[in-house]
Amino acid sequence: MFQLFLIAFRNLGTHRRRTLLLGGAIAGVTALLVILQGLSSGMQESMLRSATTLMTGHVNVGGFYKLAAGQSAPVVTNFPKVMEQIRKDVPELDYAVQRGRGWAKVVSETGSVQAGIGGIDVTTETGFRKVLQIREGTLDGLNEPNTLLIFQQQAEKLGVKVGDTVTIVAPTMRGINNTVDVRVVAIAANVGMLSSFNVYVPSATLRALYRLKDDTTGAILLYLKDLKQVPAVQARLRQTLAAAGYELMDNDPRAFWMKFDTVNREAWTGQKLDITNWEDEISFVKWTLTALNILSGLLIAILLVIICVGIMNTLWIAIRERTREIGTLRAIGMQRSRVVWMFLMEALTLGALGTLAGAGLGLLVCTLVNAAQIAVPKVVAVFILSETLTLAVSPKVMLGSMLFITACTTAISLIPSFLAARLKPVTAMHHIG
């Protein structure tokens, strides 16, 4: 086998022009595949990171509290005790935060917007500093009471800047409108569609707006070290929280704001916890990711078919040019199986070297794109939830691309290799062309 490898390596060096042509094609395909997968992975990671940080955790322990039948509020009471229980039950936890939930009208002197209000403790929201780019003001300003973080497009619509005061208007649990004046302390860069319907205030400000107790929040958001652990953690929490005496709602894979009608129709009162995951709370992201996967899969499949046909045709031509060489080898006693292996080893060596060069080129392009911080059109930013293009290439994906294309290159060389092996020595040696 080693001898065949040396012959294959020598043949590649002898036919340098053809080797460079075919190897360049394989390297180009590998580079395109790495870049395409990097683009797809980067967009998916960007969407997931932004959406799960700003809107929901990987796993959420939310719930509803009902003062009376038909009157529910999306809150969790006595959340420190629930948080303590969760920390015992979830060793896979990276970090956990409590976040108030609300829907209110933000009013300035020149305009108004409807927005989801997130009540946060900015010192524990470590993900915010990784996702948000603050254009004006400072994120730490949210440590002060009655402050507000908004996005650029909201600031433009409201006609406000850092230091200005706006009023937030919302109904309390008892249906009475309440207001709170807040000062804009941070204006963040837009994050796609999330920029149009999310603003953030300190937790205490949100509780003051809705007249809630200090130990009440909207939901406890859990961020895990690995997203693959979400189903197991969600299932375990349903068991452990129920065993700890908490009443749980039936599993309903919908966002909390879609459950009001269902909850209001039920006769119970008091507190019930609702355990969901990010796919339940932000299903639009899941749909976009599925569409993105299908589109990138189709593009990769079409690309591979075109390239495989091209490589096979090139190998056919190469073998045709070497027909007399094959006849000579057969005439001096080389077996047909050895001829097949000789061409397979040649294709395998060429594929390995070509994919190695292509993977390196693809990685270099992805690195340069990330370093350039390329801005994307607004219509794209709406879907990927980021204003800049980010490509993510993992070693596992890159190695998989190399192995896959090398395997394809070797496999499609089987047909011309078998045809070459079937040639009669006398016919091959008299071949002209």
Side-chain angles (χ1 to χ4, degrees), residues 355-372:
T355 54
L356 182 62
L361 178 62
L363 182 61
L364 177 63
V365 171
C366 292
T367 305
L368 291 176
V369 169
N370 288 339

Side-chain angles (χ1 to χ4, degrees), residues 38-197:
L39 177 64
S40 175
S41 299
M43 292 170 70
Q44 291 187 29
E45 285 185 14
S46 176
M47 291 174 63
L48 267 178
R49 184 173 57 251
S50 297
T52 55
T53 300
L54 298 180
M55 293 192 66
T56 174
H58 300 155
V59 177
N60 308 303
V61 180
F64 289 88
Y65 187 85
K66 296 177 69 174
L67 289 172
Q71 190 178 19
S72 63
V75 297
V76 176
T77 58
N78 196 11
F79 77 84
K81 188 177 177 183
V82 182
M83 181 80 86
E84 184 182 350
Q85 180 70 39
I86 289 171
R87 290 189 188 281
K88 290 180 184 174
D89 298 335
V90 187
E92 301 93 340
L93 195 63
D94 184 11
Y95 68 96
V97 298
Q98 61 81 23
R99 193 178 298 174
R101 290 168 165 172
W103 182 257
K105 189 174 185 179
V106 183
V107 184
S108 70
E109 292 182 355
T110 59
S112 67
V113 296
Q114 289 285 347
I117 307 287
I120 63 171
D121 178 358
V122 73
T123 57
T124 62
E125 295 276 3
T126 55
F128 268 49
R129 299 182 190 277
K130 299 175 183 175
V131 170
L132 292 181
Q133 296 180 24
I134 304 300
R135 299 296 192 208
E136 295 180 44
T138 171
L139 200 57
D140 292 327
L142 288 174
N143 284 316
E144 300 176 22
N146 297 333
T147 50
L148 175 72
L149 180 151
I150 56 177
F151 293 93
Q152 280 181 313
Q153 67 181 79
Q154 294 168 329
E156 291 169 4
K157 194 169 183 179
L158 292 169
V160 298
K161 58 183 184 299
V162 170
D164 291 345
T165 299
V166 297
T167 301
I168 301 178
V169 185
T172 66
M173 287 179 63
R174 298 182 183 277
I176 302 170
N177 274 346
N178 192 22
T179 64
V180 61
D181 291 334
V182 294
R183 179 169 51 89
V184 178
V185 293
I187 299 177
N190 293 330
V191 187
M193 65 180 74
L194 302 183
S195 315
S196 59
F197 52 82

